[in-house]
Amino acid sequence: MPATRPAADELVGRHVRLSPLDPADSPELYAAIAHPDVFASGFGGGPAGLPRDLAVFEAFAASQFVPGPRALPWTIRLASGPDAGTVVGTTTLGDLDLANEGAHIGWTAYDPRVWATAVNPEAKLLLLDLAFSHGFSRVKLQADSQNARSRAAIEKLGATFEGVLRHHRRRADLSWRDTAVYSILVEEWPGVRAGLEARLAAWDDRAVVLGAPSVE
């Protein structure tokens, strides 16, 4: 079927809840992701892009997480457990190309306390299902080529490595970023979905608890 732009409706899983990003979320997002460890991995242009305070972060968020015909930015909250409702990150389904059935999951950052938990696989499951159920046939994921942690997470999803875009964009310190590009095709989605569901099943009925040991 032809690709259609998804509605900006809340996406709810067992561990996470994705809500359309609202500027009012900025203080909670700032607390969750404005950490050196997050920007050190390449998010926001790298370490030099780390906002020094909430006002700078709000300006950064207003430029980076912009809803529109080609983009659906989300705020990610925990959906269960003692920390339910806490903002733990953001992500965007963007670069929506309806004619060519292409989309891009990116602009993603998480509170370091939920790294290596069920948060990322469930958020990706919800967004990939949203994209493929709306007729998209290719979903791109990418990371700074030097960002080993993010590249490993993308590869763990089952995405296929397509190559590196050299001198793709400037980092915040004006050095050149090379971008590693991956994709998942609609015909690969059943296998990728099964892998994500298996990873989530391994969590049984446990909730993601901030500060608890990460085992995902």
Side-chain angles (χ1 to χ4, degrees):
M1 65 179 181
T4 58
R5 183 185 184 278
D9 295 329
E10 192 170 64
L11 305 176
V12 182
R14 183 153 56 98
H15 301 284
V16 296
R17 174 166 54 90
L18 277 61
S19 304
L21 190 143
D22 187 301
D25 298 334
S26 289
E28 292 175 281
L29 273 175
Y30 176 69
I33 67 173
H35 299 292
D37 287 349
V38 175
F39 282 73
S41 64
F43 177 76
L50 176 63
R52 64 179 180 272
D53 56 33
L54 176 58
V56 175
F57 180 83
E58 288 176 333
F60 164 79
S63 68
Q64 293 291 310
F65 313 131
V66 184
R70 289 174 51 84
L72 292 163
W74 309 89
T75 296
I76 303 173
R77 293 177 170 82
L78 294 180
S80 60
D83 298 305
T86 302
V87 171
V88 292
T90 182
T91 191
T92 295
L93 181 66
D95 292 344
L96 301 178
D97 182 348
L98 303 185
N100 294 298
E101 300 176 359
H104 173 194
I105 295 176
W107 303 270
T108 303
Y110 298 111
D111 186 321
R113 293 177 295 174
V114 300
W115 288 358
T117 69
V119 167
N120 184 56
E122 186 164 70
K124 290 296 191 294
L125 178 65
L126 292 169
L127 288 176
L128 287 165
D129 185 65
L130 182 70
F132 290 124
S133 67
H134 281 78
F136 291 92
S137 63
R138 175 180 180 268
V139 175
K140 176 179 69 174
L141 304 101
Q142 62 186 35
D144 188 316
S145 64
Q146 297 181 7
N147 188 343
R149 184 183 60 81
S150 289
R151 293 186 66 176
I154 293 171
E155 290 164 4
K156 192 172 183 179
L157 295 174
T160 296
F161 176 59
E162 294 186 338
V164 174
L165 301 177
R166 299 182 299 166
H167 280 204
H168 182 219
R169 62 182 59 172
R170 293 283 190 181
R171 298 187 181 94
D173 64 3
L174 301 184
S175 64
W176 282 109
R177 159 180 156 153
D178 294 343
T179 299
V181 180
Y182 299 78
S183 68
I184 298 170
L185 304 183
V186 66
E187 55 265 33
E188 299 164 342
W189 171 227
V192 171
R193 178 173 55 200
L196 289 169
E197 289 173 343
R199 288 168 63 184
L200 292 169
W203 275 79
D204 299 319
D205 294 325
R206 290 176 297 139
V208 175
V209 178
L210 298 177
S214 299
V215 296
E216 192 272 322

